[in-house]
Amino acid sequence: MSDDKLAGQFFDAAIGLLARVRDEESAAIAAAGAAIADTVAAGGRLFAFGAGHSSLAAQDVVYRAGGFALMNLLAVPGTVGVDVMPATLGSALERVDGLAGAVLDSSPATSGDLLVIISLSGRNALPVEMAQNARALGLTVIGVTSVAYATGTRSRHTSGGFLRDHCDIVLDSKISIGDAELTTDGIEAPFAPASTVVTSALMQAMMATAAEELVARGIEPPLLRSGNVDGGHEWNGRVMREYGDRIFYRH
């Protein structure tokens, strides 16, 4: 089996998953976009959280060209990326009880804000506790997860629940348990994960819907432009000044 054939199989798998979330999650995406627009219109703040590789999709909507200036990363030290040493520490921290509560209590997030929590499995203590505590504080919680894990694995949280059980809105990435799309003779483990592609697409679709909702209400979406195009820095400076009290990645 050639590399070209495997590459094509991966693209086909990813495209198939993208088509599924487009068709099957349209109502959830619309609800999530409306909730974000509601929060922006009401003067609330936006946050995104993900641990491990789920943090990639969270970072993808924070401080980027074409994105909402108001989206802030809610970072849990040691869990955001593989730069922590050893890298396995991040996985261990996801299973620590009490960590999410400590982070939320020391963050600027408060009642009326919105938090997007990304966790592929949704089974570890950190995302479950993050969702529970955020809702208790009065935040709207959107979960982006694979619902398959909630039916095919056991929760690692003391409640026995999964992320999907503690969210106002759930977007299902449709990723199968194990997050690997390909198998072939001569390779013992499944490989080629697609969760980053699909989850990032869900996030961008959700934000596009939020922009559409705001325009329909007569509100200009607080978008950033690329700093590599003429006028981008001036545009972004205006947006940063106008919404400075709702942007936390500059402080």
Side-chain angles (χ1 to χ4, degrees), residues 181-201:
E181 295 301 318
L182 302 183
T183 58
T184 190
D185 293 340
I187 301 178
E188 292 300 319
F191 58 101
S195 60
T196 303
V197 174
V198 177
T199 303
S200 290

Side-chain angles (χ1 to χ4, degrees), residues 173-231:
S173 65
K174 315 296 182 182
I175 299 295
S176 59
I177 296 173
D179 190 20
E181 295 301 318
L182 302 183
T183 58
T184 190
D185 293 340
I187 301 178
E188 292 300 319
F191 58 101
S195 60
T196 303
V197 174
V198 177
T199 303
S200 290
L202 275 169
M203 294 292 288
Q204 294 298 346
M206 177 180 67
M207 300 311 295
T209 301
E212 183 179 30
E213 283 276 339
L214 286 169
V215 169
R217 304 177 194 192
I219 300 171
E220 181 184 359
L223 296 170
L224 295 172
R225 288 180 179 265
S226 172
N228 297 316
V229 299
D230 293 342

Side-chain angles (χ1 to χ4, degrees), residues 84-138:
V84 63
M85 292 295 290
T88 51
L89 176 61
S91 297
L93 289 173
E94 288 187 62
R95 304 176 189 182
V96 174
D97 292 329
L99 184 56
V103 169
L104 274 173
D105 289 345
S106 59
S107 79
T110 189
S111 180
D113 293 343
L114 181 143
L115 173 61
V116 184
I117 300 176
I118 305 163
S119 174
L120 179 62
S121 73
R123 68 187 298 218
N124 288 314
L126 185 55
V128 175
E129 182 186 303
M130 187 73 77
Q132 287 181 320
N133 287 23
R135 291 180 86 187
L137 288 173

